[in-house]
Amino acid sequence: MPTPLMGADEQSAPPAATVSVRRRWAMLAVSTAAQASSATMVHGPAFLIPVLHTREGMTLAEAGLVAAAPMAGLMCTLVAWGLVVDRRGERLALLTGITGVVLAGLVAVLVDGPWLVAAALFVAGACSSATNAASGRIVVGWFPPERRGLAMGIRQCAQPLGVGLGALTMAFLADAHGITAALWVPLVAAAVALVLVAALVIDPPRPPAAERAGAPNPYRADRYLARVHGTSMLLVVPQFVVWTFGLTWLVDELGWAAGFAGIVVAGTQLIGALGRIGSGHLSDLVRSRTRPMQWIAWAAAATMLALGAAASGSGAAVVGLAVLLLVVASAVTVADNGLAYAAVAERAGAFWSGRALGIQNTGQYLVASAVPPVAGIVITAWGYGAAFALAAGFGLVAAAMVPVAQERALG
């Protein structure tokens, strides 16, 4: 039976014993699909950069700003949605948020001009952040500690799968039919997720609402949560440098067709999804979330440094090595996310985890929204190899920040 850590005051949540194992895994699948649809809406615009750059006449920095618009919107509302989850429950937050994504996505396909599209994407991102806090809490609420690492790893597959869907479809559609055609992909994905959530998701149980007033603020006890947040923020830099400009590098520098490059990037996202599952299962086996996080930080730093060196070289063999390293980096740099989510939710407790996950994501997306324009400037000035290599430094600092010594034994 899962530990009743999460849930809301809602009356709709049945006792844990009445929810079958099949239903819990079904809710995990639905929450993963909801998060994946949001990830496509938030990260998919990065694959519009080549078209914005070559056909709309935007600089890489300007195109990066358009791509970052939904991430900026998401960042602004994460804590607020976490509070909604803490007060009103996961199901309500998911239904409201995804409905907003569908409506804003519809506006994005109807308006004309990249800056109006960016404004609509900003609103879509602001609504999509409901899935970050709510779907994560569903996992922690319905699964016991010895299964949470694996379950959260599966749930965290949503982001690379959503990015992979965008890479596989949006790059090709934008190149062949324009920006509007590409934006139908996240819109349809969000509409499907809305139906699934309405049909299957119920709120997990938690202690009575009367205990909320006495729930201690976990941030006052020690710096564990702050250091997990900081580690995740640092590791976002190599992750989003690869995600945002990997496809553009393949198209602009190597001369690949946008459709073929999109297939390759989509494949890297699938590998990244498997990496998140593997790291989550590993954390269950070693009974630690932070030790695997530290290992991943070291691996991300080494991979990005090697990628930077290879991308700066020339010759068929070196370029081939660089492409291989891009694939590896796309997997390694995302493998920590599920571990951080589980660590934050477990430490924060029933009445703080919504806000804690909101703070976790706010920090990540604050950094993520800055990466496309800043990396665009670095690439313009010094090239892709320099941008990849500089991102490695953030992995080194992250490895030193992981709070391994402050972690408590898993319940």
Side-chain angles (χ1 to χ4, degrees), residues 314-330:
S314 59
V318 174
V319 170
L321 175 61
V323 173
L324 176 62
L325 287 169
L326 177 69
V327 173
V328 175
S330 297

Side-chain angles (χ1 to χ4, degrees), residues 17 81-82 117 123 331 395 398 408:
W81 278 115
V117 170
V123 177
R408 298 170 186 168

Side-chain angles (χ1 to χ4, degrees), residues 6-408:
M6 316 296 271
D9 315 329
E10 50 294 79
Q11 31 334 318
S12 59
T18 67
V19 178
S20 67
V21 172
R22 180 180 297 179
R23 183 62 179 270
R24 293 169 196 165
W25 285 100
M27 286 190 284
L28 171 61
V30 170
S31 64
T32 301
Q35 180 65 24
S37 71
S38 293
T40 306
M41 180 64 78
V42 171
H43 304 297
F47 304 113
L48 307 179
I49 289 178
V51 172
L52 292 171
H53 180 46
T54 59
R55 297 185 194 172
E56 299 291 337
M58 290 183 157
T59 66
L60 277 178
E62 289 173 337
L65 283 174
V66 174
M71 286 188 284
L74 181 148
M75 175 190 67
C76 292
T77 58
L78 281 163
V79 177
W81 278 115
L83 183 60
V84 171
V85 171
D86 285 338
R87 296 287 192 249
R88 302 297 299 171
E90 291 81 359
R91 179 180 170 85
L92 176 66
L94 283 173
L95 290 174
T96 306
I98 300 173
T99 299
V101 173
V102 171
L103 294 176
L106 185 60
V107 172
V109 302
L110 294 176
V111 298
D112 188 26
W115 296 116
L116 289 176
V117 170
L121 291 176
F122 178 91
V123 177
C127 295
S128 73
S129 60
T131 64
N132 290 64
S135 61
R137 281 174 52 116
I138 286 172
V139 172
V140 176
W142 282 121
F143 286 83
E146 66 272 14
R147 289 289 181 270
R148 275 188 211 135
L150 174 61
M152 192 66 83
I154 293 173
R155 183 265 181 193
Q156 288 298 95
C157 286
Q159 192 177 42
L161 289 176
V163 174
L165 175 62
L168 190 62
T169 59
M170 294 179 72
F172 169 77
L173 289 173
D175 185 59
H177 304 289
I179 299 296
T180 298
L183 289 174
W184 276 103
V185 173
L187 172 58
V188 172
V192 171
L194 180 61
V195 173
L196 292 175
V197 168
L200 291 172
V201 170
I202 55 178
D203 292 302
R206 72 171 181 179
E211 297 181 15
R212 180 188 296 129
N217 184 337
Y219 289 93
R220 294 177 180 173
D222 53 38
R223 298 182 60 204
Y224 178 83
L225 287 176
R227 290 182 63 177
V228 172
H229 296 333
T231 300
S232 297
M233 290 170 67
L234 289 165
L235 290 175
V236 157
V237 176
Q239 175 184 333
F240 274 81
V241 167
V242 170
W243 275 11
T244 305
F245 288 103
L247 183 140
T248 308
W249 173 64
L250 293 173
V251 173
D252 286 356
E253 291 290 298
L254 304 188
W256 289 22
F260 182 66
I263 292 173
V264 172
V265 172
T268 68
Q269 297 306 311
L270 178 60
I271 296 172
L274 296 176
R276 290 188 176 192
I277 295 174
S279 63
H281 184 53
L282 176 63
S283 76
D284 289 336
L285 293 177
V286 302
R287 307 291 294 170
S288 171
R289 312 297 183 210
T290 58
R291 277 187 287 145
M293 282 181 66
Q294 191 172 59
W295 301 335
I296 290 166
W298 284 114
T303 305
M304 291 301 294
L305 187 61
L307 173 60
S312 299
S314 59
V318 174
V319 170
L321 175 61
V323 173
L324 176 62
L325 287 169
L326 177 69
V327 173
V328 175
S330 297
V332 171
T333 57
V334 303
D336 67 291
N337 287 41
L339 304 177
Y341 253 65
V344 168
E346 288 171 337
R347 178 64 69 94
F351 297 110
W352 275 90
S353 59
R355 280 163 287 181
L357 289 173
I359 293 169
Q360 164 78 7
N361 279 281
T362 299
Q364 288 181 297
Y365 281 101
L366 176 64
V367 176
S369 62
V371 167
V374 173
I377 293 171
V378 173
I379 291 167
T380 301
W382 298 303
Y384 286 94
F388 295 147
L390 288 172
F394 292 87
L396 292 175
V397 179
M401 184 175 286
V402 181
V404 177
Q406 292 179 300
E407 186 174 21
R408 298 170 186 168

